[in-house]
Amino acid sequence: MTPVQVVLVSVGAYLGTAVLGAATGRKPWATTLVYTLALCISAVVLATAAAQLLGATAGKPASETALSLGLPWLGSHLRLDALSAFFLSVVGLGGALASLYGLGYGHHEQAPQRVLPFFPAFLAGMNLVILAADAFTFLISWEFMSLASWALVMAHHHEAANRKAGYIYIVMASFGTLALLLAFGLLAGADGNYAFAAIRAAEHTPLVAGSVLVLLLLGAGSKAGLVPLHVWLPLAHPAAPSHVSALMSGVMTKVAIYGFIRMVFDLLGQPTPWQGILVLVIGGATASFGILHALMERDLKRLLAYSTIENIGIIFVSLGLTLAFAANGMSGPAALAFTAALFHVLNHSFFKSLLFFGAGAVLSATGERDMEKLGGLIHRMPVTSFAFLVGSVAISALPPFNGFASEWLTFQAILQSPDLPQWGLKIIVPAIGGLLALSAALAATCFVKAFGVTFLGRPRTAIASTATEVDRFSLAAMLVLAALCLLAGILPGLVMDGLAPVALALLGDRLPAQAGIAWLSIVPITETHSSYNGLLVFLFIAFSASVSAFLVHRLGSRALRRAPAWDCGFPEPSPMTQYSAAGFAQPIRRVFGTLIFRARERVDMPAPGELRPARLTVTTRDLIWDWLYAPLTGVVGYAAEKLNHLQFLTIRRYLSLVFVALILLLLVVALWT
C-alpha cells in the first residue's frame, strides 16, 4: 500500500475502535482495550508520516489517492506530501502518548462510556483533515473533528460549567467552519472546482486573496485560539479529561495551524506585505494577551489553556514574518521564519502535552485544580514533579530545552527585518519582537508560579498532604515527553533538517543543512550573524551543577543541623501563610490590571477587637468577552425572541417565505455569474 492508503486504513481502524468503545464502554476492560488499540494505530500513523517526511528529503513524491465518496463530480481526494507528513507526525505522536497516558488515567474516569467512543473518533478526524486534498473532504473532516472533540468536552455534562464550555465551544466551532466554507467558496470561484490542485493552479485577484486571508484568520484562528476568538479555550480545556485537553491544546490547535498554512502558503498564491502586517499584529497581541491572563489564573488547567493562546501567538508571529519576507522575495529569511514556526509547532506539542499530563496527574492524586489548595507535592509525587518542572522550563524558553531553540530562531528572523523595504514592516516587526520578549519573560514568571505554588512549600490542604504518585502508564507518557523536550533542545539541527522539505516545497528555499556543522551547532544564516549549540550548553549546565553540588556537599561542612524554617516574619505554622498564587501575580496585576483585566481588589478588614480574619477579594475580567461577546449574545437572544413567532405561521405563509427565499437565492446566483 502507498503511505496515504496506510493512513487511510488507520483512520478506518480508529473509527472501528470508536464503534468498539461505544459497544463496550461500560465494561471494566474497555478502557485498556480502546487505548491500547488507539496507541497501536497512532504508532502506525507516526511511522508512516515520519517515513514520508524523511523520504521527501531525498525527493520522494507525494502520495495521493481518490475515493468515489463525496461530491458526485469530485469525489474525495487525499494527499500526503511533506507538509501533511509533518503535521501527521505531530498528530500520531500526540495520539500515541495520549493513549499511553489514558491506559492509566482512563481508569479514574467516572463515565468512561462517554469518552471511549469519541477519543479514537477525534484522532480519526484530525488525521482526515490533514489528508484532505479537496475542500469538501476538508470541511467534512473538520466538522467531524469539532463534533468529536465537543463530545469529549461534554463528557462531564452534569456540571453546569462544563455545559457552558461545551455550548461556547460548539458555537465557535460552527462559526469557524462557516468562515472556512466561505473562504473555499471564494477560492473555487464561479467554476466551483473544489480540488486543491485546481485551486492551486488558479489565479486569485488581490481582493479575493485578502478576503480569504481574513476568513482564514476567523476560521482557522477560532480553532487555534487567536485573540479575540480565544474564548472557548479557557473553558473547554478544564472541562475535558486531561489527556483530551493535551490533545486539544497540543495537537488540535496544530491541525488548525495546518489548515492556515495549507491555504495561505500553498493555495492562495503570492502574498503581499499587508498580509504579513495583519498576521504579525494579531500574533503579537495574542501572545501578550494569553500570557498576561495565564499569570492571573489559580486554576492549573485554565492557566495552561491561556498559555496555549500565548504560544499560538508566537507561531503566528513567525508565520507573519514568513509572509512579509516572501512578499518581498527574501526567500532565505522566509525559510528561517517558517522553520521557526514549524519548530515551535512541534515543541509546543511536546511541552504542552507534558504539562497537561502533569496537571491531570495532580488532579487524579488530589482531586484539585486550584493551586491555592495544593503545595508540597514534590515530596509525594517526585516523578510527576520532575516531569512538570521539565515542561515548565521548556515552555519558559530556557536553554537547553526545546522552547528556547524555536523562540531563538524566531528572534533570528526578527533580526532580519531591517532588510525589509516597507517602513511599516521596519517599525512593526521590532515592536512585535519587543512584545515577544515581554511574553517570554512573563512566561517564565508564570511557570515559576505554577510549579512553585503547586509542588513546592508545604501542603495547603489535607488532600495535598496525602497525595500519592500516579500509575506507571501516566508516568511513562510524561517521561517520554520530557526526554523529547531535552532532545529537541540539544539537537535542534536534526529537527531543522527534518523540516527543510516542508519549507522547500512551499517557499522554494530552505535553511542550510545543519547536520554537518561541528559539535552539532546550528547556524541558521551564517556564522557571522549567529550560532547556537544546545549540546554544549547542556554539557556546561550539567558540569557546573555537578561541580557546585560537589563543592557544597564535599568541601563544605558535613555536619547536619536542623532549625525551624524561615517564617517570613509569621511565626504561625499554618501553611496558609505561604506565598499564594494570587500574591505571586499581584505585581503584574497592579501594573497591567486596570487597563487589561479591569482588576479590582477589595479588602475586608475587621474592626479592632473583632476575631474574624481579614479577607482580600480579587476580581478580573476578560474585556474581549465583555465588549464583544456579551453584547453579541444579547443581540442574538433578542433576535431569537422576536423571531420566535415564525414557528406559529400558517402553511401558506411558510410557502410564501420559501418562495421569497428562492427568488433571493436566484438573484444572488445571477449577480454572481
Side-chain angles (χ1 to χ4, degrees), residues 546-619:
S546 301
V547 170
S548 299
F550 175 81
L551 293 176
V552 169
H553 292 288
R554 295 292 182 181
L555 302 183
S557 173
R558 299 184 181 182
L560 181 65
R561 183 172 63 91
R562 294 186 179 275
W566 180 47
D567 57 18
C568 308
F570 293 91
E572 174 62 38
S574 169
M576 300 307 293
T577 61
Q578 298 178 102
Y579 217 47
S580 66
F584 196 98
Q586 185 190 61
I588 304 297
R589 187 174 65 246
R590 290 188 171 177
V591 171
F592 297 99
T594 304
L595 179 63
I596 297 177
F597 312 113
R598 196 178 287 171
R600 297 292 183 269
E601 297 181 1
R602 186 172 63 85
V603 179
D604 179 18
M605 184 64 67
E610 289 190 62
L611 299 180
R612 63 185 180 89
R615 295 189 179 277
L616 170 66
T617 304
V618 179
T619 58

Side-chain angles (χ1 to χ4, degrees), residues 17 20-21 24-25 27-40 99-108 112 116 472-473:
T17 305
L20 186 62
T24 64
K27 304 293 184 181
W29 43 264
T31 295
T32 301
L33 176 63
V34 169
Y35 287 121
T36 300
L37 289 174
L39 171 60
C40 296
S99 301
L100 177 61
Y101 186 87
L103 283 170
Y105 181 85
H107 290 286
H108 302 286
L116 295 180
R472 64 184 186 276
F473 294 109

